Amino acid sequence: MIAWLVVFFLALLLIGFDVGFGMVVAAYGGLLAQPDSFLDGTILPLNMVGGVDHYVLVSIPMFILAGELMNGGGLTLRLVDWSQAMVGNVRGSLSQVAILTNVVMAGVSGSGAADAAATGRVLIPAMRARGYGDGYAGAVVAAGAVLGPIIPPSVPMIVYAAMANQSVLKLFLGGVVPGLLLALGYMAICALQARRRGFERAPASGLHDRLSATGKALPVLLLPVIILGGIRFGLTTDTEAASIAALYALLIGVLYYRSLPGRRLWDSFLEAGRSSTIILFLLAAAGPFGWLISESQVNLVIARGVLSISSDPLVGLLVVNLLLLVVGCFLEPLPAMIIFLPALIPIGADLGLDPIHFGVVVIVNLMIGMLTPPVGLLLFVVSAVGDVHIGRVIREIGPFLLWSLAVLVLLTAWPGLVLWLPSTVGP
């Protein structure tokens, strides 16, 4: 029955169904196909409510709102100016600015697509004007935006925490080292490309200019510190930190920078509501769909298949990585997590993998899918906001994609890269 359920679901996607509605309709069809079942359609709404009945999910709309308020209030420009002051004297400085800006943005929004749109609108035209090339400019911004869901806070990590019943704080801390490894590698690639292509070196910023830029951007730079510091030292829960982040972004946008007039403020709330609704509806739809998958014990079949290849945890994790790399080429990260995690989480447990390590590896893996055609979401975002032909972006994304895969291998082989920071907060 489960094979027909999956085939039915894929057929619905091919004819144009949304992923969430497709899961609900497929689940209902699977329910009707159950032989001698005493269940009826009322189980669907009950399971949908159960799919979002986790207090930790309250933080998703709050973090999304904080990011939208930053973008709507033009606070991204403050970060760009600060990054320019910090690294503006190196060759090909605008590409370094793109990565550094996204590192800080990642500490606020938790959304790669939002970060790509915000930084791409500013930096792709600027890099184009400096002769960087459309495709390269788009590739740099897309690579930097991958950091958004990896460096905390992260919407995919919150989703994983809810589905796997794990600590949000430990997942957040587990993403710090992988995110910084990716960022350092991306900046090294930008430096090598700048030297190879002969990009110009901008004038160095003096100490006064750097201090001035830091002072102007300080309220924005403090936001990631407030979020992580509050959670790490037990001053706030993860949901409280998300609410504080949204309120803080609202206050500095409206009262401090005065860059959020009424219409822009309304648009920020509206866009945050739309994004949150999409994510939460996907999670709700995954309730009955995941229930049917677990009832069919397909996770046991997959687990036996993985374990039949090897009982070694490293080999098993490599097999899961290969599966997710293929999945990431065709599905966006959140739908892929919602569809496959109900089967993959028990596999990680059967292999004896630490659930925090497994979760971070899964999330990094699926974020790499945002850079891979044919459905690399970030490739399409930078193409749209920067008015760049997507083929040019794809031709330039190769070095960034290779480094991302190298980091994934490192995280898979050395769990300590993920687990070092989470181990500092106790059991």
Side-chain angles (χ1 to χ4, degrees), residues 153-367:
S154 162
V155 170
M157 286 181 182
I158 296 171
V159 172
Y160 178 88
M163 297 183 73
N165 195 27
Q166 295 298 316
S167 165
V168 173
L169 173 58
K170 289 190 174 184
L171 282 165
F172 279 3
L173 293 177
V176 172
V177 172
L180 293 179
L181 278 175
L182 287 168
L184 290 172
Y186 294 158
M187 295 181 83
I189 291 169
C190 290
L192 292 172
Q193 293 283 33
R195 182 176 296 275
R196 185 174 71 87
R197 302 183 187 207
F199 293 153
E200 63 181 14
R201 187 190 300 271
S205 299
L207 179 60
H208 178 269
D209 293 333
R210 293 185 178 186
L211 291 175
S212 176
T214 301
K216 293 176 181 177
L218 187 60
V220 186
L221 295 172
L222 285 176
L223 188 48
V225 178
I226 292 172
I227 295 171
L228 271 186
I231 301 175
R232 169 62 182 84
F233 295 106
L235 301 175
T236 64
T237 65
D238 37 33
T239 51
E240 290 168 348
S243 301
I244 290 170
L247 179 61
Y248 181 83
L250 176 64
L251 292 176
I252 62 174
V254 173
L255 300 179
Y256 187 83
Y257 291 121
R258 300 183 184 277
S259 55
L260 273 172
R263 179 62 186 177
R264 198 175 297 169
L265 181 62
W266 169 253
D267 289 342
S268 297
F269 275 98
L270 189 62
E271 189 58 36
R274 287 172 177 165
S275 300
S276 302
T277 301
I278 292 170
I279 294 171
L280 294 175
F281 179 70
L282 278 173
L283 287 170
F289 193 80
W291 176 76
L292 277 174
I293 289 177
S294 63
E295 282 293 303
S296 67
Q297 298 185 329
V298 68
N299 59 300
L300 298 179
V301 176
I302 298 174
R304 283 195 292 267
V306 172
L307 292 172
S308 68
I309 298 173
S310 173
S311 59
D312 185 273
L314 177 59
V315 176
L317 189 52
L318 287 172
V319 173
V320 172
N321 273 332
L322 290 174
L323 169 67
L324 291 177
L325 285 172
V326 174
V327 168
C329 292
F330 301 96
L331 284 177
E332 295 177 21
L334 279 177
M337 289 176 64
I338 290 165
I339 293 169
F340 288 95
L341 277 182
L344 292 181
I345 290 172
I347 291 175
D350 291 340
L351 291 170
L353 297 169
D354 185 280
I356 301 300
H357 175 232
F358 184 72
V360 172
V361 168
V362 166
I363 289 166
V364 171
N365 191 312
L366 291 174
M367 294 311 116

